[in-house]
Amino acid sequence: MRLTAAQALIRFLAAQHVERDGVEQRFFGGCFGIFGHGNVAGIGEALYEAPDLLTYYQARNEQGMVHTAVGYARMKDRLGALVCTTSIGPGATNMVTGAALATVNRLPVLLVPGDVFASRRPDPVLQQLEVPWSGDVSVNDSLRAVSRYFDRIWRPEQIVSAAVQAMRVLVNQAETGAVTLAFPQDVQVEAYDFPKDFFRQRVWHVPRPLPDEASLAAAVAEIRRARRPLIVAGGGTIYSQATEALRVLCEQTGIPVGETQAGKGSLPYDHPSELGAVGVTGTLAANRIAAEADLVLGIGTRWSDFTTASKTAFRDPEVRFVNVNVADFDAAKYDGVALVGDARATLERLAELLAGWSVPDAYREEVVRLNHEWNEEVERLYTLGHGPLPAQSEVIGAVNAASAPQDVVVCAAGSMPGDLHKLWRTRDPKGYHVEYGYSCMGYEIAGGLGVKLAAPEREVYVMVGDGSYLMLSSEIVTAVQEGLKLTIVLVDNHGFNSIGSLSRSLGTDGFGTQYRYRRNGSLGVDSEESPASVLPIDLATNAESLGARVIRCKSIDDLRAGLERAKSEERTVVLAIEVDRYEGVPGYESWWDVPVAEVSAVEGVRAARTAYERKLRFRSD
Ligand SMILES: Cc1ncc(C[n+]2csc(CCOP(=O)(O)OP(=O)(O)O)c2C)c(N)n1
Ligand SMILES: [Mg+2]
């Protein structure tokens, strides 16, 4: 078939399917893009010429559209993805952050940035980077570091091998992340006689590999010896759709479960084995059990510092690890017994091998009691009645109460991810969507859009701070354009609550974390409140100007009523509410390693350093 290289790529992508457990689905749900001279005549023409192949979605910001693709892929349990096409230069480099986010979170996105002329005819073309030491560098090389696979299409026929390699990585559960096919703008439009077979419908089988029997036997021996085992459920539990297998294993063995950010929802919040969030942003229940666990069974987790409380969460000197992970890289961490395999298949096998074994009854009872006590703490924080401005925890309580079990809460950065991790009562494995691998400000609305595109039947509640909103809220326009309704809760504390309280704890008084006019050479600090210097930012009006329906809430009662009204809206709604920046949810016997200045002229910093050095002594490597 005589096609341009761009037409061939689009035709190939539209024919890709995946299959797992006998269920087959189309892999690509569409193509987001922003056109420029680097893709309008190539990929742009291909999408225009054959609109039935891939639906084109117009984004506002290239970083935002990669976030949307990530939200989509996560909601699809990595069995679906979006394509993102950009022009050359700034359009392409705007995707670097999104690509890193996808790769850190191990979520598939296909990036197709335009690239400078392969022929070099008009060098330097508009927006081309030139370096005196190399002729074949372009800004797209910055995507190499954050991609799981990168290729540059120098010739049209190269599409045939590059596209297949791209798919290999995207559907591989251990390898997946951002895949970049940099596409020189002249090659995109060049024609070639492609073999017809290249465009046949391909079904990529997503297997459920099992660990080898010797490793399983070693793991089972470790577990059977344990008196106080703990499961840490990560994102892999959910992507593998292993939550039912996890429930069965927990009920059979009595092993309790702590959840990472990506793994939250692995068990419903009220399950007797559920301890909730574990680690820095963990519950008292999970962190107490973790501290004394003699065996930790990690499932689909990459053991980030937030999960391990910077390696202080597991304090039994004899503690052993067993790691179930489809990626051997993660399975090898903590010197654990590596069970390299699919989470669901492995949990089912472990349940067979552990038949007849259970934790002591007293341990089961302790877990139920801790879970119950934690729920009371959540209830307390949901109903603080704090004034004059409400506390963020009350906002979370109101949104949780208004949402249905299958609805999805979305968040990414600021103080809310930690509070949501602790407090959100998750009732459905896909009900909690906090991007905390990269914790990228600006993911919230754009990512929420991807969630809604993947699951239009669910209400999507986007929790966004003022800082994140200011960084990237323009995909509200895309949500309005596509008729994809988001319910956005804009939690405004006029600055960076999260980093503000971190700064105070490190002795630097919230320096640089509020929105204030410069006065006497200073942007102000927390200990000197000066209402006159507050910047006049009105984000609700901003959201209105982008086409959202806006509901301004002055109290939690207002918010409750607004959330009910929002349910009958068809358009994207923004509920704006101010909260008290200083009324935070406490930590529960956990620690996060943030280094403090070793010498300082500030007394508060010196005190923080002393406390820091004391904490370091508890660290176990
Ligand atoms: C892109 C990006 N830049 C910087 C940071 C560091 N950071 C983490 S939270 C935060 C402030 C977020 O402010 P806001 O959205 O208002 O949430 P709040 O902390 O007030 O809850 C910053 C700057 C980040 N996570 N992402
Ligand atoms: Mg804020």
Side-chain angles (χ1 to χ4, degrees):
M1 283 176 81
R2 190 153 181 83
L3 297 171
T4 69
Q7 290 161 358
L9 178 63
I10 296 300
R11 187 166 290 271
F12 170 87
L13 296 176
Q16 304 310 301
H17 289 66
V18 287
E19 172 275 318
R20 186 169 71 182
D21 305 327
V23 182
E24 203 180 295
Q25 48 188 304
R26 211 175 155 194
F27 190 62
F28 291 106
C31 177
F32 274 73
I34 294 181
F35 295 130
H37 63 94
N39 63 340
V40 67
I43 296 283
E45 190 278 339
L47 291 167
Y48 171 71
E49 181 197 79
D52 295 341
L53 291 179
L54 279 186
T55 304
Y56 165 67
Y57 297 94
Q58 180 188 48
R60 268 64 228 174
N61 172 302
E62 290 87 355
Q63 183 186 134
M65 77 190 184
V66 184
H67 293 337
T68 300
V70 167
Y72 181 92
R74 176 163 166 183
M75 203 58 201
K76 290 274 186 191
D77 287 334
R78 307 199 284 215
L79 300 177
L82 296 172
V83 186
C84 295
T85 174
T86 73
S87 189
I88 73 160
T93 52
N94 263 356
M95 293 203 293
V96 172
T97 296
L101 185 149
T103 294
V104 168
N105 285 287
R106 288 102 200 265
L107 289 163
V109 298
L110 177 60
L111 310 181
V112 187
D115 212 325
V116 299
F117 280 67
S119 71
R120 313 265 165 83
R121 253 182 343 237
D123 276 15
V125 66
L126 173 68
Q127 301 167 323
Q128 179 167 341
L129 170 88
E130 292 176 284
V131 291
W133 41 269
S134 172
D136 67 351
V137 164
S138 90
V139 295
N140 285 340
D141 288 297
S142 65
L143 284 156
R144 285 181 194 270
V146 289
S147 297
R148 295 300 309 237
Y149 187 76
F150 180 100
D151 202 356
R152 185 174 277 124
I153 314 296
W154 294 114
R155 298 203 38 82
E157 60 268 42
Q158 192 189 331
I159 282 286
V160 175
S161 54
V164 170
Q165 286 300 322
M167 282 306 299
R168 171 187 67 80
V169 175
L170 288 167
V171 300
N172 183 319
Q173 301 300 290
E175 289 285 309
T176 198
V179 167
T180 301
L181 295 180
F183 215 168
Q185 61 183 97
D186 53 346
V187 181
Q188 286 183 40
V189 302
E190 220 174 296
Y192 179 75
D193 292 312
F194 289 92
K196 233 193 174 102
D197 183 62
F198 179 56
F199 305 111
R200 73 165 198 275
Q201 180 174 316
R202 270 188 186 69
V203 182
W204 297 82
H205 173 59
V206 178
R208 292 191 177 278
L210 269 171
D212 64 285
E213 283 296 315
S215 301
L216 280 165
V220 167
E222 291 282 359
I223 297 169
R224 283 180 178 271
R225 245 202 318 272
R227 304 284 296 166
R228 300 182 63 86
L230 168 70
I231 287 174
V232 172
T237 316
I238 293 182
Y239 303 143
S240 157
Q241 296 167 340
T243 57
E244 180 58 18
L246 176 67
R247 186 187 64 75
V248 169
L249 181 75
C250 290
E251 288 173 8
Q252 175 188 321
T253 62
I255 306 178
V257 175
E259 295 170 328
T260 73
Q261 283 277 11
K264 191 167 158 80
S266 292
L267 286 182
Y269 79 97
D270 51 359
H271 188 278
S273 296
E274 168 76 344
L275 296 164
V278 68
V280 178
T281 51
T283 68
L284 187 59
N287 286 345
R288 283 263 165 96
I289 293 290
E292 293 180 16
D294 54 2
L295 179 120
V296 183
L297 175 57
I299 303 166
T301 172
R302 60 193 195 96
W303 293 120
S304 82
D305 65 343
F306 263 75
T307 300
T308 68
S310 302
K311 303 199 173 173
T312 62
F314 310 107
R315 295 199 278 276
D316 180 339
E318 305 293 319
V319 65
R320 293 280 293 133
F321 287 79
V322 173
N323 299 318
V324 177
N325 210 296
V326 72
D328 60 353
F329 176 72
D330 292 313
K333 289 177 179 174
Y334 267 98
D335 197 20
V337 178
L339 296 184
V340 181
D342 168 69
R344 195 179 90 185
T346 308
L347 288 179
E348 285 168 355
R349 187 82 183 100
L350 281 175
E352 286 167 19
L353 295 170
L354 288 166
W357 177 85
S358 167
V359 302
D361 284 348
Y363 189 50
R364 279 189 195 244
E365 284 153 22
E366 185 182 342
V367 169
V368 169
R369 180 175 54 76
L370 285 168
N371 177 310
H372 180 74
E373 284 172 12
W374 177 253
N375 265 311
E376 286 181 354
E377 174 68 351
V378 173
E379 202 54 46
R380 182 184 76 79
L381 290 157
Y382 274 6
T383 55
L384 279 182
H386 187 72
L389 288 176
Q392 185 162 283
S393 63
E394 300 173 79
V395 171
I396 292 171
V399 177
N400 189 271
S403 64
Q406 73 279 5
D407 294 347
V408 189
V409 68
V410 180
C411 193
S415 57
M416 265 186 299
D419 292 1
L420 287 165
H421 197 207
K422 289 173 207 164
L423 305 182
W424 188 260
R425 289 175 167 165
T426 313
R427 295 147 286 174
D428 178 282
K430 301 306 293 181
Y432 184 85
H433 185 119
V434 174
E435 186 285 295
Y436 214 64
Y438 212 47
S439 187
C440 184
M441 289 169 74
Y443 174 84
E444 297 85 353
I445 293 170
L449 180 64
V451 172
K452 186 69 181 175
L453 192 60
E457 70 286 1
R458 299 184 190 232
E459 291 285 340
V460 176
Y461 289 91
V462 173
M463 309 287 287
V464 62
D466 46 86
S468 273
Y469 183 92
L470 280 170
M471 200 169 279
L472 215 176
S473 45
S474 48
E475 300 310 326
I476 286 177
V477 176
T478 313
V480 171
Q481 178 174 40
E482 294 295 338
L484 290 167
K485 179 194 168 189
L486 302 176
T487 302
I488 299 170
V489 182
L490 169 55
V491 182
D492 196 346
N493 50 35
H494 303 284
F496 305 160
N497 174 353
S498 48
I499 309 300
S501 57
L502 183 61
S503 161
R504 289 193 298 280
S505 77
L506 305 176
T508 50
D509 207 3
F511 169 67
T513 65
Q514 298 221 35
Y515 308 149
R516 294 178 179 183
Y517 289 108
R518 185 171 297 281
R519 292 278 151 83
N520 305 322
S522 164
L523 292 178
V525 285
D526 285 354
S527 57
E528 291 158 32
E529 280 297 341
S530 159
S533 64
V534 170
L535 287 176
I537 305 167
D538 180 354
L539 298 178
T541 301
N542 177 277
E544 222 156 35
S545 77
L546 298 180
R549 166 108 168 75
V550 171
I551 302 176
R552 294 171 172 80
C553 309
K554 291 234 169 298
S555 64
I556 294 295
D557 282 343
D558 270 8
L559 177 64
R560 283 203 193 95
L563 286 162
E564 287 313 310
R565 261 178 35 225
K567 286 181 187 170
S568 54
E569 281 287 336
E570 297 203 345
R571 206 173 3 146
T572 284
V573 185
V574 174
L575 296 118
I577 184 159
E578 272 185 57
V579 297
D580 185 339
R581 161 180 161 102
Y582 298 106
E583 190 57 30
V585 177
Y588 295 88
E589 299 184 1
S590 65
W591 180 67
W592 186 32
D593 188 342
V594 179
V596 186
E598 208 167 342
V599 292
S600 173
V602 181
E603 198 195 314
V605 175
R606 291 198 300 271
R609 176 72 197 188
T610 307
Y612 177 67
E613 284 174 7
R614 216 172 25 240
K615 286 285 185 189
L616 277 183
R617 277 183 243 133
F618 287 101
R619 206 167 169 283
S620 58
D621 290 297

